[in-house]
Amino acid sequence: MLTYYFRLAILSIKRNPVLSSLMIAAIGLGIGASMTTITVNYAMSGNPIPHKSEQLFAVQVDSWDPNNPFREPNIAPDQLTYLDAMALMRNAPAKRQAAMTKVFAVVEPKGDEALPFDATGRATFTDFFAMFETPFLYGNSWGKDADNNNEMVTVLSKQTNERLFGGENSVGQTITIGGKVYNIVGVLDGYRPTPKYYDVTNGAFNDPEDYYIPFNLVAALQLNRAGNTNCWKPTAEDGFQGFLNSECVWIQFWAELPDKETQDNYLAFLNNYAEQQKQLGRFPRPLNNHIQNVMQWLELQEVVSDNARVIMWLSIMFLLVCLLNTIGLLLTKFSTKSAEIGLRRAVGASKKTLFAQHLLESTLIGIAGGLLGLLLAYGGLHGVKALYGSSVEHLAKLDTNMFFVALGLAISSALLAAIYPTWRACNIQPALQLKTQ
Amino acid sequence: MLVMNNIQKVFRTEQVETHALRDFSLKVEEGDFVAVTGPSGSGKTTFLNIAGLLETFSDGQYHLDGIDVRSLNDNQRSRVRNEKIGFIFQSFNLIPDLNLFDNVDVPLRYRKMSSSDRKQRIEQALETVGLASRMKHLPAQLSGGQQQRVAIARALAGSPRFLLADEPTGNLDSSMAESVMQLLEDINANGTTIIMVTHDPKLAARTPRNIFVKDGVVTEKKRSSMDGTDSLIMQPAIA
Amino acid sequence: MELKPILSALLRNKTGAILIAAQIALTMTIIVNSVFMIMERRGDMDRPSGTDEANIFVLSYTGFASDFNEQTQIVEDLDYIRSLPGVIDAIQSNSAPLIGGGWSMSLATEEGPDKNGTGTAIYFADDHAVNTFGLNLIQGRDFNPEDITWRNRTDTNWPGQAILTKALAENLFKEDWRNAVGKTVYISETQPINIIGIIETMQAPWNGWNGLERSMLVPQQTLFGGGRIIIRAEPGERDRLMTDIENGLMQNYKGRLVRNVRSMEEIREISYQSHKGTNTILLVLITALTIVTALGIVGLASFSVNRRKKQIGTRRALGATKFDILRYFLVENFLISSVGVVFGALFTVGLNMLLVSTLDLPSISWYYVPSGMILLWCIGLAAVYGPAKKACQISPATATRSV
């Protein structure tokens, strides 16, 4: 029976080629537009580390201006001061934790041929790698000793290793960064979280850094920092030490807290620490310390841009218009078939079978529209890449999940659009139709 | 007065050339009631379409009320149809979405006429066909005979000089057909010229003048009013 | 006009009409709000940076060699560049309008902590800045060579004088900005700065900042290990100089990296890339939407003409001219569209209110709504014109044809 319906559906689609292609085009355009924008939003709001996102916490301690919150409404700063970050690194009770900041320097390749180039780096602690489960291609992270003893060690990104060593295992070799020689202890294997959750302050969709070095080198070598710095109070003393002792925030801080107990302990520690600092005349605001897990953090820092959201909702409205359009076209199409439906009813077809027959037809149209929509979404995502440049390159990708979402959306849209016209067509009085013909 | 001389109507498709009317000549006087009969495909409807200015013809002369129809453009033909001709169709052709009042109103809408004037004419026309009380009903709520009476009211509302009826009783049973025919006779008695295409010999027998169309050629059936028997004379309709 | 019968016929076939009206309402909502957002963004993109954009280019340098002496290198580089034919002037600075990265500070008209400050962008530059950027000095004076000092990365002291933009002066002194020259403002809470000049316009480096017009020129040259050089060329010389100077600088000294040599036009392009991208997406969206809606109307109108063939033939037989038939369909569509655009107007304002409350979008200007209504009316009429024209061609003889 199904093959019979199938044949009827194909026949019917072929009989009205213009109406059928209009419908396929309408569904295709609607699906194409909404899938393009949904994909970008999905990538923006994706969970970058799903199995662990509830155990990783961004740390906020509010050391800000007594008169104004860091951000309305009373949101604590997204970064920490050097004083606080160091105090937490020393004493805070976490399974793992790492302060980090963005630095930049010129890398000088060996040999006279290769030209020096600019690179950005992440100065952090060894726990960074274990906490965020960065994959290693060669070698490993540096040890705690390296953190404490200001050892000149570095972990390279895969790209940097390719650029400087042609992808060979470079562990044990050296590299000159900012005029200083570092020992390479590890090479990452294409590590690229989207969003780059551990540093949304400096661009949630930016490329990951080219190299990683122990955090304490920032102070020891007075490295150039590339990241955002915010101050509410002038620094009291001149020089680099003055900056380190200032109320400026410029350090991202993450802790791994596997269960409720460690989380509560950690927050208690933060509040206790803030109280102590108040005794010393710092922390002029009421207590406002938080730990936020990965998804809470992305939400709080508004990682999905308003623009992307607005465009997504507009394109979903566009899909709605396309569906209304399809309903109208289906009504038209089925009404030209009222004679046939009347005849089939008269020779004994039940309403149910007729309904099924016509829904099958709509489903076929939905599938065709969905495939067209996928094609358009594919083109649309390429267009998005071309329009926005490299910053969205890793957002505008259609994965298998999205493929099935698109197809499902297309078919369910087509079915949704088909229900009313089909119902109306199948409710025709058989006698009436036969008489007027 | 309606005068047709040597009207030719040729339908051309790529393969065939069909002569629907050939050398068709007819003269209808003011106040006539003419029944047109003939077998299917003889050209009856083509004749009526040409007479009613619904279709153009290929050759010949046609004067309606002294107007040379050939010289009219599409808009002028619409004007003439609207003002001089009333139509009655076999399948009534009422507009299903409009109530009786609005249906009768349709031809009047295409004239410059005040709304009170229109209202008066519509009510009067529906009065004439005995349906004034059902003005707000939709066509679907009426029987076939009633629908055809509405169609007649619509044809009358514009006070046309000519009434063209295409099988007006073709979709009706005999008692309804009788009442519609009665109505047409009354209208004719009031001076309106009627040309009625029919295949029903009984109806044709009731009209003062009968013409017979076969293969696109007209033949006049002259009837002796004494014995009621028909005598067939082959001759052009007009001298 | 035959409004009443058209209306009563419409009310008996509501579904199609409702579908079209709903499409028109939604389409209008999307189009008007999109166009509004596009125009807002265009308006942002059209704001002048205050500089001679056509002839300026910018390059970045970073010193890395152990023998890199930034102070002598800056002097040497600027002397070299300024001496080249085709160069109008050049400066070393930390940033430039639209570049995206820079330094901001807070200024207050009174001394001391806890005073409400006004944020401003800081450009460190020497006495060639006004000439290099092509700024319009409307009050006071430019820097003198002897005003210029050197600034190290960790310095916290500020020189005692600065040139402010008009917008910054207005923000600090309100209507009294014309008398701002000679007044003192405070930076870092306690350090006084004497205003020596006012420039008409100079944008801050961040195009998304709401204080975009507030900038300040500070008479210092930076020794931050890296910085930018801004060069203004004579008309037509820019592109040649971009390659010449990049190569020249590298030849003169190899211990610093010279990179990102970009014209102001390129910088503007990059700066507004996402603005432009979003506008293009919206434009594509509303174009596709217009086509879909129009095709939908064409489809439904064609169907309605087909369904009413007999009726149209009858009307023609009863005396309707071709124009009467055309008018019937146009009027019918106009009525449907009118319902659509009235709801469209409500939805448009509703969506805008939503965008205003959830995002920081401004309220829509009143004239967008009637313009949108007229546009949708026209789209509807244009879409229905084809099928209506076809309806005119239906022969009056259709009336006598049996089904």
Side-chain angles (χ1 to χ4, degrees):
Chain A
M1 205 59 190
L2 198 69
T3 50
Y4 175 62
Y5 289 162
F6 191 77
R7 221 177 57 225
L8 285 179
I10 296 283
L11 268 178
S12 163
I13 289 171
K14 276 189 184 159
R15 192 165 39 202
N16 285 306
V18 176
L19 275 184
S20 303
S21 34
L22 269 180
M23 273 185 277
I24 292 171
I27 294 179
L29 277 171
I31 296 290
S34 45
M35 282 317 295
T36 306
T37 57
I38 289 172
T39 303
V40 173
N41 276 267
Y42 164 82
M44 279 185 162
S45 54
N47 188 336
I49 179 161
H51 60 286
K52 215 178 173 184
S53 64
E54 310 223 316
Q55 298 174 30
L56 297 177
F57 292 85
V59 176
Q60 285 179 293
V61 290
D62 197 341
S63 57
W64 208 246
D65 187 344
N67 300 312
N68 298 298
F70 179 77
R71 177 154 71 89
E72 297 290 349
N74 194 29
I75 293 173
D78 53 350
Q79 304 184 102
L80 268 58
T81 63
Y82 182 75
L83 292 176
D84 297 330
M86 290 303 102
L88 295 189
M89 281 310 297
R90 274 192 303 274
N91 299 320
K95 183 181 172 198
R96 296 185 177 112
Q97 59 185 349
M100 62 195 82
T101 192
K102 193 172 181 172
V103 294
F104 82 96
V106 172
V107 173
E108 293 167 72
K110 293 194 182 77
D112 295 335
E113 305 291 294
L115 289 172
F117 62 90
D118 255 37
T120 61
R122 181 146 297 264
T124 185
F125 289 83
T126 181
D127 278 354
F128 175 92
F129 303 97
M131 192 159 62
F132 297 145
E133 300 185 353
T134 59
F136 275 88
L137 184 61
Y138 304 119
N140 225 313
S141 66
W142 60 78
K144 287 226 189 269
D145 294 350
D147 280 336
N148 298 332
N149 303 334
N150 294 346
E151 284 178 27
M152 300 293 288
V153 290
T154 184
V155 168
L156 301 184
S157 75
K158 190 180 180 188
Q159 281 88 343
T160 310
N161 188 55
E162 264 162 22
R163 182 163 185 178
L164 291 174
F165 301 99
E168 301 280 303
N169 187 347
S170 60
V171 172
Q173 305 211 45
T174 60
I175 176 177
T176 308
I177 304 171
K180 302 286 193 300
V181 178
Y182 292 79
N183 286 311
I184 300 168
V185 297
V187 175
L188 293 185
D189 188 6
Y191 180 55
R192 181 182 188 104
T194 305
K196 190 177 160 190
Y197 58 100
Y198 53 79
D199 186 7
V200 294
T201 308
N202 293 305
F205 305 104
N206 280 6
D207 289 333
E209 285 78 13
D210 305 309
Y211 63 92
Y212 302 79
I213 52 170
F215 183 88
N216 288 333
L217 295 177
V218 175
L221 303 176
Q222 304 197 356
L223 297 179
N224 283 319
R225 289 173 312 98
N228 194 303
T229 306
N230 282 298
C231 313
W232 61 273
K233 199 179 180 180
T235 43
E237 356 157 22
D238 263 348
F240 203 78
Q241 198 56 43
F243 171 70
L244 294 180
N245 292 339
S246 72
E247 290 292 354
C248 298
V249 296
W250 51 279
I251 298 168
Q252 300 93 44
F253 201 100
W254 284 81
E256 181 176 345
L257 307 166
D259 51 48
K260 183 85 174 64
E261 196 190 337
T262 51
Q263 290 156 23
D264 290 345
N265 277 344
Y266 201 88
L267 191 58
F269 175 86
L270 294 182
N271 289 334
N272 195 21
Y273 170 74
E275 292 291 359
Q276 284 172 12
Q277 292 297 309
K278 277 176 184 287
Q279 309 280 314
L280 301 171
R282 294 184 64 226
F283 283 64
R285 295 180 66 74
L287 281 191
N288 187 20
N289 307 317
H290 304 277
I291 54 173
Q292 316 263 5
N293 73 32
V294 174
M295 294 315 279
Q296 289 168 336
W297 185 243
L298 296 179
E299 176 75 29
L300 182 72
Q301 299 303 326
E302 297 168 354
V303 159
V304 181
S305 82
D306 286 341
N307 246 341
R309 235 187 282 243
V310 170
I311 294 180
M312 181 177 80
W313 287 111
L314 285 179
S315 57
I316 288 174
M317 278 174 78
F318 173 62
L319 176 62
L320 195 64
V321 173
C322 293
L323 289 192
L324 288 175
N325 205 298
T326 309
I327 295 178
L329 295 172
L330 275 176
L331 273 178
T332 307
K333 188 171 158 69
F334 288 164
S335 74
T336 60
K337 290 178 65 174
S338 47
E340 187 198 317
I341 294 172
L343 184 76
R344 284 181 188 278
R345 291 273 280 136
V347 299
S350 74
K351 256 188 212 178
K352 226 169 85 185
T353 52
L354 282 171
F355 201 79
Q357 180 197 328
H358 288 92
L359 275 193
L360 180 71
E361 189 179 331
S362 314
T363 310
L364 288 181
I365 287 176
I367 292 174
L371 290 176
L372 176 67
L374 272 173
L375 214 65
L376 290 175
Y378 184 74
L381 288 172
H382 271 278
V384 168
K385 270 185 227 173
L387 288 172
Y388 288 90
S390 59
S391 60
V392 302
E393 193 160 333
H394 295 268
L395 298 176
K397 267 194 292 208
L398 208 59
D399 58 15
T400 37
N401 271 352
M402 278 298 157
F403 177 85
F404 287 111
V405 168
L407 211 57
L409 189 65
I411 294 173
S412 48
S413 311
L415 284 180
L416 200 70
I419 284 174
Y420 176 69
T422 312
W423 175 81
R424 221 169 85 152
C426 296
N427 260 324
I428 277 167
Q429 294 291 321
L432 197 80
Q433 274 306 314
L434 291 180
K435 196 177 122 192
T436 55
Q437 286 303 303
Chain B
M1 200 161 74
L2 180 155
V3 185
M4 287 185 179
N5 277 324
N6 304 96
I7 296 289
Q8 305 270 357
K9 176 70 183 179
V10 186
F11 291 108
R12 284 192 182 83
T13 64
E14 275 167 37
Q15 285 91 25
V16 274
E17 205 172 76
T18 318
H19 288 262
L21 293 180
R22 51 183 107 208
D23 277 335
F24 193 99
S25 299
L26 180 68
K27 183 171 182 180
V28 178
E29 298 288 348
E30 209 72 43
D32 261 359
F33 192 157
V34 184
V36 181
T37 55
S40 286
S42 59
K44 301 189 299 281
T45 301
T46 306
F47 155 68
L48 198 76
N49 282 347
I50 290 173
L53 277 59
L54 300 179
E55 251 177 67
T56 54
F57 44 94
S58 317
D59 201 8
Q61 297 276 317
Y62 172 23
H63 289 264
L64 181 73
D65 251 5
I67 304 165
D68 180 3
V69 170
R70 271 217 118 143
S71 66
L72 302 179
N73 65 22
D74 194 82
N75 279 347
Q76 290 164 326
R77 292 151 64 85
S78 295
R79 176 99 274 132
V80 172
R81 283 200 294 273
N82 187 261
E83 286 171 357
K84 295 195 185 297
I85 306 171
F87 284 97
I88 301 165
F89 306 99
Q90 178 176 4
S91 47
F92 328 137
N93 292 8
L94 297 178
I95 294 171
D97 303 325
L98 299 180
N99 65 27
L100 303 195
F101 183 94
D102 287 333
N103 259 294
V104 177
D105 194 20
V106 169
L108 303 183
R109 284 278 173 177
Y110 301 118
R111 286 189 200 184
K112 289 190 177 67
M113 207 178 263
S114 72
S115 68
S116 60
D117 204 359
R118 287 206 321 264
K119 187 162 180 284
Q120 194 200 332
R121 276 169 178 261
I122 294 163
E123 281 166 358
Q124 199 185 333
L126 281 170
E127 196 77 51
T128 311
V129 301
L131 286 167
S133 61
R134 316 192 65 170
M135 249 185 281
K136 297 291 171 202
H137 286 73
L138 288 175
Q141 295 168 305
L142 303 182
S143 71
Q146 288 170 323
Q147 288 192 38
Q148 191 59 300
R149 274 155 51 200
V150 176
I152 294 171
R154 179 176 67 186
L156 288 179
S159 341
R161 305 278 297 281
F162 301 90
L163 205 55
L164 302 186
D166 182 22
E167 304 271 16
T169 61
N171 282 8
L172 302 177
D173 66 30
S174 54
S175 70
M176 285 177 175
E178 171 54 32
S179 80
V180 165
M181 189 59 198
Q182 192 70 55
L183 195 52
L184 290 178
E185 283 169 346
D186 292 348
I187 292 163
N188 177 246
N190 287 333
T192 307
T193 310
I194 302 183
I195 300 172
M196 174 177 75
V197 168
T198 182
H199 63 265
D200 183 348
K202 279 196 208 119
L203 288 186
R206 286 167 66 163
T207 63
R209 187 177 167 200
N210 278 8
I211 60 168
F212 183 77
V213 182
K214 196 181 175 197
D215 296 332
V217 180
V218 69
T219 332
E220 182 105 23
K221 270 182 181 177
K222 271 276 162 62
R223 190 169 49 206
S224 134
S225 50
M226 296 298 143
D227 57 8
T229 53
D230 295 348
S231 57
L232 207 59
I233 305 161
M234 293 294 288
Q235 65 168 58
I238 312 147
Chain C
M1 278 298 259
E2 42 189 339
L3 281 184
K4 205 188 82 156
I6 294 180
L7 207 58
S8 48
L10 257 183
L11 289 176
R12 305 214 166 276
N13 287 297
K14 282 196 276 287
T15 319
I18 289 173
L19 283 172
I20 292 186
Q23 281 185 57
I24 286 184
L26 280 176
T27 303
M28 174 174 161
T29 309
I30 299 173
I31 288 186
V32 174
N33 276 289
S34 299
V35 169
F36 175 63
M37 288 190 274
I38 289 173
M39 297 313 278
E40 281 294 309
R41 243 179 239 110
R42 285 240 171 105
D44 283 355
M45 291 163 78
D46 286 344
R47 291 171 300 186
S49 67
T51 64
D52 179 17
E53 284 183 33
N55 297 308
I56 293 175
F57 66 97
V58 180
L59 58 85
S60 304
Y61 68 88
T62 318
F64 61 89
S66 46
D67 65 352
F68 178 66
N69 181 327
E70 194 172 11
Q71 189 165 334
T72 52
Q73 197 59 49
I74 288 172
V75 174
E76 201 176 292
D77 287 348
L78 286 180
D79 282 348
Y80 159 70
I81 294 170
R82 285 170 185 164
S83 71
L84 288 174
V87 172
I88 292 180
D89 211 342
I91 54 163
Q92 182 258 0
S93 181
N94 60 320
S95 188
L98 298 171
I99 268 187
W103 187 321
S104 84
M105 288 298 288
S106 181
L107 294 185
T109 49
E110 287 167 72
E111 189 181 355
D114 311 343
K115 297 289 181 244
N116 265 335
T118 295
T120 176
I122 304 285
Y123 293 110
F124 297 104
D126 65 10
D127 53 308
H128 294 259
V130 169
N131 190 33
T132 302
F133 281 119
L135 304 172
N136 184 12
L137 187 72
I138 51 176
Q139 285 196 343
R141 66 167 178 91
D142 199 350
F143 297 133
N144 294 321
E146 55 278 16
D147 297 333
I148 313 300
T149 54
W150 295 97
R151 184 182 187 90
N152 284 301
R153 186 144 54 106
T154 54
D155 283 355
T156 52
N157 287 322
W158 292 84
Q161 47 195 356
I163 295 173
L164 275 55
T165 59
K166 184 179 143 205
L168 177 56
E170 276 176 333
N171 200 290
L172 290 164
F173 301 105
K174 307 292 175 277
E175 299 80 42
D176 204 25
W177 71 270
R178 280 169 205 287
N179 303 318
V181 172
K183 289 197 172 162
T184 301
V185 289
Y186 295 88
I187 194 165
S188 263
E189 295 180 355
T190 53
Q191 300 187 37
I193 286 184
N194 182 26
I195 301 170
I196 63 162
I198 303 282
I199 45 176
E200 193 178 14
T201 315
M202 184 183 193
Q203 284 185 339
W206 317 278
N207 70 33
W209 186 39
N210 56 11
L212 182 65
E213 311 284 313
R214 301 203 295 266
S215 314
M216 176 164 90
L217 295 177
V218 175
Q220 286 193 311
Q221 291 201 284
T222 59
L223 302 173
F224 294 177
R228 293 192 169 89
I229 293 178
I230 293 116
I231 300 133
R232 184 179 179 196
E234 278 165 10
E237 300 284 352
R238 185 194 68 193
D239 294 349
R240 177 182 66 79
L241 286 169
M242 279 170 72
T243 32
D244 286 2
I245 289 177
E246 182 176 9
N247 295 336
L249 287 176
M250 288 308 288
Q251 263 165 29
N252 292 352
Y253 178 62
K254 292 193 170 53
R256 51 144 163 60
L257 207 61
V258 173
R259 66 206 160 86
N260 295 341
V261 185
R262 294 197 177 113
S263 68
M264 270 309 267
E265 283 165 354
E266 259 176 281
I267 290 167
R268 170 173 283 276
E269 189 88 354
I270 295 167
S271 171
Y272 285 112
Q273 187 177 32
S274 86
H275 276 63
K276 229 173 125 182
T278 306
N279 274 3
T280 311
I281 288 182
L282 288 177
L283 215 57
V284 169
L285 194 71
I286 61 180
T287 310
L289 182 61
T290 308
I291 293 171
V292 166
T293 304
L295 285 183
I297 295 174
V298 170
L300 285 183
S302 304
F303 166 65
S304 136
V305 167
N306 272 338
R307 198 170 51 90
R308 289 189 280 190
K309 256 187 179 152
K310 185 98 179 178
Q311 185 191 131
I312 294 162
T314 305
R315 284 179 184 276
R316 291 281 281 133
L318 297 178
T321 60
K322 286 182 175 176
F323 181 71
D324 289 328
I325 301 296
L326 184 71
R327 196 178 57 188
Y328 182 95
F329 283 95
L330 294 183
V331 169
E332 185 184 66
N333 177 272
F334 186 80
L335 289 178
I336 298 172
S337 299
S338 300
V339 175
V341 297
V342 167
F343 279 98
L346 293 176
F347 293 167
T348 300
V349 175
L351 180 62
N352 177 250
M353 278 159 64
L354 196 70
L355 292 176
V356 170
S357 68
T358 53
L359 319 175
D360 265 347
L361 225 65
S363 292
I364 202 162
S365 314
W366 67 270
Y367 53 83
Y368 275 93
V369 175
S371 311
M373 292 170 87
I374 291 168
L375 178 73
L376 265 293
W377 262 316
C378 293
I379 291 174
L381 290 179
V384 89
Y385 186 78
K389 199 74 195 165
K390 242 168 126 183
C392 298
Q393 302 307 324
I394 290 171
S395 159
T398 312
T400 58
R401 235 162 263 161
S402 43
V403 182

